[in-house]
Amino acid sequence: MSTSRLSAVLPDLAPWRSSRDFRLLFFQGTVTFFGSFMAMIALPLQIKHLTDSPLAVGAMGAVELVPLVVCGLYGGALADAVDRRRLILLTEAGLGVLALVLLVNALLPSPLLWPLYVVAAGVAALAGLQRPALDSLLARIVPHEQLTAAAALNGLRYQFGAIAGPALAGLVVAFAGYAAAYSVTVAGFLVSVLLCLRLAPAPPARDAERPSLRGIAEGARFAWSRPVLLGTYTVDLAAMFFAYPNTIFPFLADELDAVWALGLMYAAGAVGSMVLGLTSGWTSRVRRHGLLVIYGASVWGLAIAAAGWLSNIWLVLLCLAVAGAGDMLSGLGRSTIWNQTIPEQLRGRLAGIEVLSYSVGPQLGQVRAGTMAGWTGTRSAFWSGGLACVASVAVLAALLPKLISYDAETDEDALRRRAAREAEPAAA
């Protein structure tokens, strides 16, 4: 393959070269995701070790949901009203303190159960406060034309943590114990805080309002009035609700007589996403990002359905990897549209809504998958959910045609956002 063809496929590194703050956030996120995934695996394993109860492990999701929803919405309003760098720094330090609580508890002669739930709720709350500030900062530090490339690089960063973190967490817990896994998490947050200290300030607009329910409602009205944005939220919610079967992977592994492959099933989607990210250079030249959302979600649904039909474990793993690639493709389209069209003064509040759109869906999807598997069987829970995903995406595409026709070069909101972004250095 020639150099020009190779560069057209490999990830576009332009955001990395053009923005110091993007580089800092890239490395900060890599360290944080790796350490966080260590804790995400160790925490439910420790609850299982202490209780030997599936219900006790599942309750962790229940204690996380409300703090995530409430703090996600409030965090969006807060991101529009305060210095985003300061908000990111304080919440990152708070997450490090919670990781330290896990470490101290694990070092006790008899570790306690209740702190694990308190930490899980605290992590959900702080993540809900932080994520809108992180997401809304991207459009400020990266040039408008590099937003898709930046989203692809951020996806790679996340997938590295999603693959390496859980894989090493299992080994660390097995051979060195929970305290060792939590020590890695604490160290990761310490490095992350040091990197965040080097970020440039990101103050709010001069006329920014204090966080309020009225401000949150203003962001919701803006999203509701934009069919393109509404399409990105609803397509993602539908895809995750109907076709997020992770909770029943253990049952599928049993039916396929492949318990040994359970870890591979959880990692396959991240591998597929990483492959797409490593070959994402072409996405920087795409203008119709709504089509990426539609095509990616459809591939996700079809691949999940195929995983439920097939009986060969290697083909199932391949389908899950393809599903991960489809999810990554859809995510690139969503992220680009959000960053290209949402005005700076609403960016935090809309990022709070985004947090809900891609966090609540998987939570509800796990409930759907588990309930359907109990009623009709594991296989049918897979293929029926996958087909329902494809059907719902088709219906939403028909109801919201502006999502399909979205063009970064002609969309009015995208043009206004580009003009505002280009005017910022001159105004400074």
Side-chain angles (χ1 to χ4, degrees):
M1 181 180 292
S2 66
T3 304
S4 60
R5 290 183 179 179
L6 187 62
S7 62
V9 173
L10 293 177
D12 184 354
L13 300 180
W16 208 348
R17 292 191 293 266
S18 65
S19 173
R20 171 184 174 275
D21 278 357
F22 180 80
R23 291 193 298 273
L24 286 172
L25 285 177
F26 182 88
F27 289 117
Q28 174 268 334
T30 301
V31 172
T32 297
F33 283 137
F34 179 77
S36 297
F37 273 108
M38 290 281 287
M40 284 173 59
I41 299 301
L43 187 57
L45 284 176
Q46 190 176 19
I47 294 176
K48 179 179 181 295
H49 176 77
L50 292 175
T51 66
D52 196 30
S53 167
L55 182 60
V57 176
M60 195 175 76
V63 303
E64 291 172 335
L65 185 58
V66 172
L68 181 62
V69 171
V70 173
C71 292
L73 288 173
Y74 182 72
L78 201 60
D80 284 333
V82 303
D83 187 312
R84 290 169 186 169
R85 169 191 175 273
R86 187 165 180 265
L87 180 56
I88 292 168
L89 181 60
L90 291 176
T91 50
E92 196 74 358
L95 289 167
V97 171
L98 291 178
L100 186 61
V101 171
L102 290 176
L103 173 58
V104 171
N105 185 60
L107 291 172
L108 295 175
S110 298
L112 302 172
L113 178 62
W114 66 265
L116 305 184
Y117 290 111
V118 172
V119 168
V123 168
L126 287 175
L129 289 173
Q130 182 191 75
R131 189 62 183 262
L134 275 171
D135 288 351
S136 60
L137 190 59
L138 185 65
R140 178 180 288 193
I141 63 176
V142 173
H144 188 86
E145 65 276 6
Q146 296 176 10
L147 288 171
T148 303
L153 292 173
N154 280 343
L156 281 175
R157 177 190 66 178
Y158 176 84
Q159 299 308 331
F160 169 78
I163 295 171
L168 290 180
L171 294 175
V172 171
V173 169
F175 293 102
Y178 297 104
Y182 296 140
S183 296
V184 174
T185 305
V186 171
F189 279 115
L190 177 60
V191 173
S192 176
V193 167
L194 294 175
L195 290 170
C196 287
L197 284 169
R198 299 184 61 195
L199 290 170
R206 293 176 184 173
D207 57 348
E209 300 179 5
R210 293 173 60 86
S212 65
L213 290 176
R214 184 167 63 87
I216 294 173
E218 181 186 358
R221 284 195 297 271
F222 180 87
W224 184 260
S225 69
R226 298 304 194 272
V228 175
L229 289 179
L230 197 60
T232 64
Y233 300 142
T234 54
V235 167
D236 188 42
L237 279 170
M240 294 298 103
F241 176 74
F242 288 114
Y244 191 82
N246 291 29
T247 193
I248 57 175
F249 279 170
F251 301 95
L252 182 62
D254 286 343
E255 290 193 15
L256 297 175
D257 195 24
V259 177
W260 56 270
L262 180 58
L264 295 177
M265 293 172 70
Y266 281 109
V271 171
S273 295
M274 178 168 281
V275 170
L276 193 284
L278 289 171
T279 57
S280 62
W282 60 274
T283 61
S284 294
R285 297 181 295 278
V286 172
R287 293 166 38 186
R288 303 280 298 280
H289 300 100
L291 290 177
L292 295 186
V293 176
I294 296 295
Y295 291 155
S298 299
V299 168
W300 163 269
L302 287 172
I304 293 297
W309 286 321
L310 297 169
S311 300
N312 182 286
I313 182 59
W314 295 108
L315 292 178
V316 169
L317 292 173
L318 177 61
C319 287
L320 294 177
V322 171
D327 186 44
M328 176 72 166
L329 186 65
S330 182
L332 290 181
R334 294 194 308 272
S335 177
T336 304
I337 289 173
W338 294 338
N339 285 309
Q340 284 183 343
T341 62
I342 297 172
E344 177 64 22
Q345 67 271 20
L346 292 174
R347 192 67 195 88
R349 279 164 283 181
L350 271 294
I353 296 174
E354 292 155 21
V355 169
L356 301 187
S357 78
Y358 56 66
S359 60
V360 173
Q363 297 275 7
L364 296 176
Q366 294 192 75
V367 174
R368 184 217 64 85
T371 303
M372 184 67 70
W375 287 346
T376 65
T378 303
R379 296 292 196 91
S380 61
F382 268 80
W383 64 256
S384 64
L387 293 182
C389 166
V390 176
S392 63
V393 169
V395 170
L396 289 169
L399 293 175
L400 299 167
K402 287 191 176 182
L403 178 62
I404 296 178
S405 62
Y406 173 84
D407 189 320
E409 298 297 325
T410 59
D411 182 82
E412 292 182 0
D413 287 323
L415 292 175
R416 276 194 292 266
R417 175 65 188 139
R418 170 178 284 183
R421 182 72 177 88
E422 291 173 350
E424 284 173 6

